[in-house]
Amino acid sequence: MSKPFVHIQNLSVQYGQKTVLKDLEWIYSTGSQWAIGGKSGSGKSTLAKAIAGQVSYQGSIDLNTPERKVLYVPSWYQFTNLEGDRNFYYQQRYNTQQRKDTQTVKSDLANFAKDANLLLEDSLPLMEALGLTDQLNAQLIALSSGEHKKMQLVKAFWQRPAMLVIDEPYTGLDKATRSALNDCFNDLSDKGTHLILLTNDTNLPQCINAFAVIENGQLKQVESPLHFTPAEVREAKNLPEFLKEEPTLSSSEIVRLKDVNVRYGDKTVLSDISWQIDRGERWVVQGHNGSGKSTLLSLINADHPQAYGYDIRLFGNQRGSGESIWDIKQKIGLISPEMHWYFDQTATVWETVASGLRDSIGLFSDISYREKQQVNELLDFFELTEVKNDLLQTLALGKQRLAMLARTIIKNPPLLVLDEPCQGLDQSQTQYFNDVVDELCQYGKTLLYVGHYESQLPKSIDHRLLLEKGHIVFNGAIKSVKETTVEQEA
């Protein structure tokens, strides 16, 4: 009988007083390839980090590889500026001057190759497979969240470790890239790398032949990915009363863009964009990674400096006609991957939610007694009261997202701009949040929702905008979310 590739016995991990894994046992047989799913916060990432030697643990983890080389790839991609630090702010990617503060994709790959003793030319087939070749001369900070994920994956595959553990490998990727990624996983498996994919996605590469979930600190093998997140009915709660107040607006026109173009040097990001959103409409915005979705939303969010140079009207007012950025932001509730990446790392969960009242990245001013009550009501609504004094960054990713989502709606804004809001949420959390969005829309809210998965969209969606290489290819009403066929086209 061959020796297991990984043999784990009596594995226990605690964070403070909280036990995440308890006497976990697992035999990872040589030649098997695993996917581990389950609820957000169940301990998947903790198990991965323990195998990679990144957290302290009790028990034993025996690896049957001479080099003991295990590469753990976290769910988010981190990059630095030219001075080697990460002091970015989330609007920075839209600032022409600040964009020059980071390396290009090509120079970043060259430096990585040098540090990891790799050949630069070996990265090019991976870049082509994941659709990044056209971005070689782009600044890192100018990439979309999906393109950053591709960069992270290229570097992981390039190293060909004995074992590759990837946390949420499909986050933010369009359908075409997810399919290409599965081909890369199959190829890596054929070349001898052992895989652990931490995901609830059911469209997995053919090489994955074993499945498990973590429940109550223990690893439990299941028959298929269909058992990753069993249907769970969350406790029905009444929406806080302050969120049922319909917005008072002087105009039925929420957004109007006419012949808008956005360029960076020779690169055109958006081309001849004309689009109107009226009060109460619920839009889904879709397109391939890098198609211009986030840039388009930044024009609406008042985060893009080029917004002043074009014919853009928000809430009935021409941009640059007297309204301040903060006047506009007061009417918009925003969540995006970039905002989450760059959020204040010293903020508690309570401070994170409360900061939405002042549109700040962290809480830096006092709020009223009534506002404090509203924060507490939302924490209870999203089942975050028990962790309200914990640092946001110490929570499982799914709970971090719920806190950020609570921050988005705390001021009861008339316009919700939700850019891939369910990244990191499990199936139950995703359904719960989208049900909340649907209920909010019953009280006069206007919605812009970016999402790649048809199955993870609010049912109230009634309009769709589809972008392709910065151009609008569909703009209009739909009867249901089943008509959001970008997954077939992407």
Side-chain angles (χ1 to χ4, degrees):
M1 182 176 178
S2 63
K3 185 177 180 181
F5 190 78
V6 181
H7 190 189
I8 298 177
Q9 300 180 82
N10 300 317
L11 178 66
S12 296
V13 178
Q14 281 187 283
Y15 296 130
Q17 299 298 314
K18 182 180 180 181
T19 299
V20 180
L21 302 176
K22 179 65 174 177
D23 296 328
L24 184 146
E25 304 275 338
W26 188 22
I27 294 177
Y28 184 126
S29 301
T30 300
S32 60
Q33 303 288 6
W34 286 75
I36 302 178
K39 295 180 182 179
S40 173
S42 61
K44 300 186 295 294
S45 298
T46 297
L47 174 60
K49 291 176 182 178
I51 294 172
Q54 294 186 13
V55 295
S56 299
Y57 60 85
Q58 294 179 319
S60 64
I61 301 177
D62 294 323
L63 301 174
N64 183 22
T65 168
E67 300 176 356
R68 292 182 59 84
K69 186 174 182 182
V70 176
L71 178 60
Y72 168 67
V73 181
S75 56
W76 286 352
Y77 176 65
Q78 297 283 352
F79 62 97
T80 64
N81 62 12
L82 294 177
E83 296 179 356
D85 62 52
R86 294 190 175 95
N87 294 323
F88 298 112
Y89 53 91
Y90 78 95
Q91 302 100 326
Q92 193 166 356
R93 63 179 290 204
Y94 309 117
N95 188 306
T96 303
Q97 296 303 316
Q98 296 283 0
R99 285 159 62 96
K100 298 177 181 178
D101 189 39
T102 59
Q103 301 181 79
T104 64
V105 169
K106 186 175 182 179
S107 61
D108 182 61
L109 292 174
N111 289 335
F112 185 81
K114 182 179 179 180
D115 293 341
N117 196 27
L118 299 168
L119 295 176
L120 181 59
E121 54 265 32
D122 289 344
S123 69
L124 299 181
L126 294 168
M127 293 287 287
E128 183 174 359
L130 296 181
L132 269 178
T133 305
D134 291 343
Q135 298 294 340
L136 280 170
N137 295 318
Q139 299 285 328
L140 288 178
I141 203 167
L143 301 183
S144 69
S145 59
E147 289 168 333
H148 277 298
K149 187 69 178 181
K150 292 178 185 181
M151 281 287 291
Q152 181 193 48
L153 293 167
V154 165
K155 290 181 178 179
F157 292 135
W158 193 5
Q159 297 178 68
R160 293 189 183 177
M163 171 170 275
L164 178 60
V165 188
I166 301 191
D167 204 339
E168 300 292 351
Y170 304 101
T171 294
L173 300 180
D174 57 46
K175 185 177 182 180
T177 303
R178 295 198 301 271
S179 177
L181 176 57
N182 282 343
D183 290 339
C184 291
F185 280 132
N186 289 329
D187 181 63
L188 204 62
S189 173
D190 290 342
K191 293 176 180 176
T193 293
H194 287 75
L195 300 171
I196 301 177
L197 306 185
L198 308 181
T199 178
N200 285 313
D201 201 295
T202 57
N203 295 314
L204 297 170
Q206 293 181 350
C207 64
I208 298 297
N209 54 25
F211 314 92
V213 296
I214 296 179
E215 294 179 354
N216 301 318
Q218 299 280 320
L219 187 134
K220 173 185 175 183
Q221 189 164 359
V222 295
E223 292 183 1
S224 78
L226 297 178
H227 295 85
F228 280 165
T229 53
E232 178 181 326
V233 178
R234 293 178 67 89
E235 178 187 354
K237 292 188 176 183
N238 292 325
L239 195 68
E241 289 300 316
F242 74 91
L243 292 177
K244 297 180 180 180
E245 298 175 7
E246 294 203 18
T248 301
L249 295 171
S250 59
S251 173
S252 62
E253 179 188 89
I254 302 298
V255 176
R256 192 192 74 186
L257 296 85
K258 184 177 180 182
D259 300 327
V260 171
N261 297 272
V262 174
R263 297 184 179 89
Y264 301 119
D266 295 332
K267 182 179 179 180
T268 298
V269 180
L270 294 175
S271 181
D272 298 324
I273 301 295
S274 294
W275 183 30
Q276 182 167 323
I277 302 167
D278 293 326
R279 180 176 177 174
E281 292 179 343
R282 283 90 66 184
W283 286 79
V284 61
V285 181
Q286 296 180 310
H288 295 284
N289 297 132
S291 62
K293 301 184 299 295
S294 294
T295 299
L296 178 61
L297 295 186
S298 73
L299 295 170
I300 296 169
N301 299 332
D303 287 331
H304 203 298
Q306 293 190 35
Y308 292 99
Y310 299 110
D311 188 355
I312 299 176
R313 295 178 64 87
L314 301 177
F315 306 102
N317 298 311
Q318 183 73 32
R319 282 301 311 272
S321 62
E323 264 197 327
S324 72
I325 288 177
W326 303 111
D327 291 331
I328 296 170
K329 286 183 175 294
Q330 187 58 33
K331 299 184 180 74
I332 300 175
L334 168 69
I335 179 64
S336 70
E338 289 86 357
M339 175 175 284
H340 194 171
W341 291 344
Y342 305 139
F343 203 79
D344 183 3
Q345 296 295 296
T346 67
T348 65
V349 172
W350 196 95
E351 292 167 340
T352 296
V353 177
S355 70
L357 293 162
R358 301 292 183 266
D359 297 300
S360 55
I361 308 299
L363 184 62
F364 305 108
S365 61
D366 291 334
I367 61 176
S368 69
Y369 174 75
R370 177 56 188 144
E371 289 173 329
K372 291 177 182 178
Q373 286 183 312
Q374 292 175 347
V375 172
N376 290 331
E377 287 176 39
L378 266 186
L379 288 170
D380 178 67
F381 184 78
F382 282 109
E383 301 177 1
L384 294 169
T385 300
E386 290 186 359
V387 294
K388 68 178 183 179
N389 295 319
D390 294 355
L391 292 180
L392 178 70
Q393 63 175 334
T394 64
L395 269 59
L397 181 58
K399 288 188 179 294
Q400 288 187 43
R401 296 296 287 187
L402 288 177
M404 293 296 291
L405 295 167
R407 177 191 183 277
T408 301
I409 63 177
I410 182 65
K411 61 187 176 185
N412 194 29
L415 175 61
L416 296 173
V417 180
L418 310 179
D419 188 352
E420 300 198 49
C422 295
Q423 286 187 10
L425 302 187
D426 60 38
Q427 182 179 336
S428 174
Q429 290 171 327
T430 296
Q431 184 63 57
Y432 181 64
F433 177 72
N434 283 336
D435 287 345
V436 172
V437 171
D438 284 331
E439 187 171 357
L440 286 168
C441 287
Q442 295 177 18
Y443 298 97
K445 307 295 187 294
T446 304
L447 175 67
L448 298 184
Y449 195 110
V450 174
H452 288 292
Y453 292 83
E454 176 193 315
S455 61
Q456 295 182 358
L457 296 176
K459 294 183 178 66
S460 59
I461 296 291
D462 56 15
H463 286 74
R464 178 178 180 236
L465 185 81
L466 176 61
L467 292 173
E468 185 175 323
K469 296 182 179 179
H471 294 269
I472 293 177
V473 295
F474 183 88
N475 176 5
I478 57 175
K479 293 180 181 179
S480 72
V481 294
K482 292 182 179 180
E483 293 185 42
T484 58
T485 55
V486 70
E487 285 305 309
Q488 298 171 10
E489 301 165 4

